[in-house]
Protein backbone atom coordinates (compact mmCIF):
# COMPACT_ATOMS: atom_id res chain seq x y z
CA UNK A 1 0.00 0.00 0.00
CA UNK A 2 1.47 3.39 -1.04
CA UNK A 3 -0.09 6.75 -0.33
CA UNK A 4 -3.58 8.13 -0.85
CA UNK A 5 -4.10 11.73 -1.97
CA UNK A 6 -6.83 13.69 -0.21
CA UNK A 7 -8.22 17.00 -1.41
CA UNK A 8 -10.81 19.34 0.02
CA UNK A 9 -12.02 22.69 -1.21
CA UNK A 10 -13.74 25.72 0.30
CA UNK A 11 -14.74 29.13 -1.03
CA UNK A 12 -14.47 32.48 0.76
CA UNK A 13 -16.16 35.65 -0.48
CA UNK A 14 -13.05 37.75 0.22
CA UNK A 15 -9.78 38.21 -1.70
CA UNK A 16 -6.82 35.79 -1.17
CA UNK A 17 -4.92 38.37 0.93
CA UNK A 18 -7.81 38.53 3.42
CA UNK A 19 -8.06 34.73 3.59
CA UNK A 20 -4.32 34.39 4.17
CA UNK A 21 -4.27 37.08 6.88
CA UNK A 22 -7.22 35.49 8.69
CA UNK A 23 -5.70 31.97 8.66
CA UNK A 24 -5.68 30.50 12.15
CA UNK A 25 -7.73 33.32 13.64
CA UNK A 26 -10.65 31.12 14.76
CA UNK A 27 -13.03 33.58 13.13
CA UNK A 28 -15.91 31.12 13.12
CA UNK A 29 -16.83 27.47 12.92
CA UNK A 30 -15.85 26.02 9.59
CA UNK A 31 -13.71 28.97 8.53
CA UNK A 32 -10.64 27.70 6.67
CA UNK A 33 -10.72 24.18 8.12
CA UNK A 34 -11.12 25.57 11.68
CA UNK A 35 -7.41 26.41 11.72
CA UNK A 36 -6.01 27.93 14.89
CA UNK A 37 -2.53 29.44 15.39
CA UNK A 38 -1.00 32.35 17.29
CA UNK A 39 0.67 33.88 14.23
CA UNK A 40 1.27 33.12 10.57
CA UNK A 41 5.00 32.38 10.51
CA UNK A 42 7.23 29.42 9.72
CA UNK A 43 7.51 27.32 12.88
CA UNK A 44 4.19 28.41 14.42
CA UNK A 45 2.04 25.64 15.90
CA UNK A 46 -1.27 25.14 14.09
CA UNK A 47 -4.32 22.91 14.48
CA UNK A 48 -6.67 22.11 11.60
CA UNK A 49 -9.94 20.22 11.29
CA UNK A 50 -9.80 18.45 7.93
CA UNK A 51 -13.04 17.10 6.41
CA UNK A 52 -12.55 13.57 5.08
CA UNK A 53 -16.02 12.70 3.82
CA UNK A 54 -17.32 9.49 5.39
CA UNK A 55 -14.47 9.47 7.90
CA UNK A 56 -15.74 12.75 9.35
CA UNK A 57 -13.44 15.59 10.34
CA UNK A 58 -9.93 14.81 11.54
CA UNK A 59 -8.05 17.09 13.94
CA UNK A 60 -4.45 17.63 12.84
CA UNK A 61 -1.64 19.16 14.95
CA UNK A 62 1.48 20.51 13.26
CA UNK A 63 3.66 23.51 12.48
CA UNK A 64 3.73 25.91 9.57
CA UNK A 65 6.70 24.74 7.50
CA UNK A 66 6.40 26.98 4.43
CA UNK A 67 4.39 29.97 3.31
CA UNK A 68 4.09 32.34 0.42
CA UNK A 69 1.74 35.22 1.09
CA UNK A 70 -1.02 35.28 -0.16
CA UNK A 71 -1.07 32.09 -2.27
CA UNK A 72 0.10 29.12 -0.19
CA UNK A 73 0.79 27.71 3.23
CA UNK A 74 2.17 24.29 4.21
CA UNK A 75 1.66 22.57 7.56
CA UNK A 76 3.94 19.67 8.49
CA UNK A 77 2.29 17.51 11.13
CA UNK A 78 2.97 14.55 13.42
CA UNK A 79 -0.54 13.90 14.71
CA UNK A 80 -2.63 11.91 14.06
CA UNK A 81 0.06 10.68 11.60
CA UNK A 82 3.12 12.25 9.97
CA UNK A 83 2.57 14.22 6.82
CA UNK A 84 2.12 17.57 5.12
CA UNK A 85 -0.95 19.56 4.28
CA UNK A 86 -0.76 22.20 1.59
CA UNK A 87 -3.27 25.02 1.33
CA UNK A 88 -3.46 26.90 -1.97
CA UNK A 89 -5.39 30.16 -2.30
CA UNK A 90 -6.47 31.31 -5.76
CA UNK A 91 -8.59 34.24 -6.88
CA UNK A 92 -12.04 33.18 -8.05
CA UNK A 93 -15.10 35.14 -9.16
CA UNK A 94 -16.41 36.85 -6.02
CA UNK A 95 -13.60 35.72 -3.70
CA UNK A 96 -11.05 32.97 -3.16
CA UNK A 97 -10.94 29.27 -3.91
CA UNK A 98 -9.15 27.47 -1.07
CA UNK A 99 -7.73 24.03 -1.82
CA UNK A 100 -6.32 21.62 0.72
CA UNK A 101 -4.11 18.77 -0.48
CA UNK A 102 -2.62 16.03 1.69
CA UNK A 103 -1.17 12.59 1.19
CA UNK A 104 -1.96 9.82 3.63
CA UNK A 105 0.65 7.10 4.04
CA UNK A 106 0.04 3.54 5.21
CA UNK A 107 0.09 4.44 8.92
CA UNK A 108 -2.36 7.29 8.38
CA UNK A 109 -4.67 5.13 6.30
CA UNK A 110 -4.62 2.40 8.97
CA UNK A 111 -5.47 5.03 11.60
CA UNK A 112 -8.44 6.22 9.53
CA UNK A 113 -9.62 2.64 8.93
CA UNK A 114 -9.54 1.85 12.66
CA UNK A 115 -11.43 5.09 13.35
CA UNK A 116 -14.20 3.90 11.01
CA UNK A 117 -14.26 0.43 12.59
CA UNK A 118 -12.91 -1.18 9.42
CA UNK A 119 -10.53 -4.14 9.50
CA UNK A 120 -6.89 -3.18 9.00
CA UNK A 121 -4.97 -5.58 6.74
CA UNK A 122 -1.78 -7.00 8.23
CA UNK A 123 1.47 -5.31 7.27
CA UNK A 124 3.29 -7.01 4.40
CA UNK A 125 5.79 -9.58 5.58
CA UNK A 126 9.42 -9.13 4.67
CA UNK A 127 11.57 -12.01 3.60
CA UNK A 128 14.31 -12.92 6.11
CA UNK A 129 17.46 -10.95 5.44
CA UNK A 130 15.74 -8.37 3.23
CA UNK A 131 16.61 -4.70 3.57
CA UNK A 132 14.20 -2.31 5.33
Amino acid sequence: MGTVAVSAEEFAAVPPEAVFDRFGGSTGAGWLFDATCDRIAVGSVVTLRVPLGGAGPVDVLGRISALRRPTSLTVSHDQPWRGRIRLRLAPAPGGTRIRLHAEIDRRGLEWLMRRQGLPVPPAPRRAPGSAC
Side-chain angles (χ1 to χ4, degrees):
M1 189 182 313
T3 60
V4 175
V6 175
S7 295
E9 189 173 299
E10 288 191 9
F11 176 82
V14 295
E17 294 81 6
V19 174
F20 189 92
D21 291 341
R22 289 169 46 188
F23 176 81
S26 279
T27 56
W31 170 253
L32 202 51
F33 307 105
D34 290 333
T36 305
C37 67
D38 290 336
R39 61 191 179 101
I40 305 170
V42 172
S44 293
V45 173
V46 62
T47 60
L48 294 157
R49 178 159 283 178
V50 180
L52 291 179
V58 173
D59 293 326
V60 175
L61 175 62
R63 291 188 180 274
I64 297 173
S65 56
L67 54 91
R68 176 173 281 168
R69 185 181 189 281
T71 60
S72 67
L73 190 139
T74 301
V75 175
S76 295
H77 61 88
D78 291 320
Q79 290 183 2
W81 60 85
R82 284 190 167 174
R84 281 194 311 222
I85 296 172
R86 292 177 185 89
L87 292 172
R88 302 283 186 250
L89 311 175
T96 302
R97 183 172 320 285
I98 306 158
R99 290 189 175 110
L100 176 144
H101 178 79
E103 291 183 357
I104 302 174
D105 63 10
R106 179 182 182 90
R107 295 176 83 185
L109 191 56
E110 288 172 353
W111 182 89
L112 287 169
M113 290 172 70
R114 281 191 297 277
R115 179 178 174 166
Q116 290 294 305
L118 299 171
V120 176
R125 296 179 57 125
R126 293 193 176 115
S130 65
C132 294

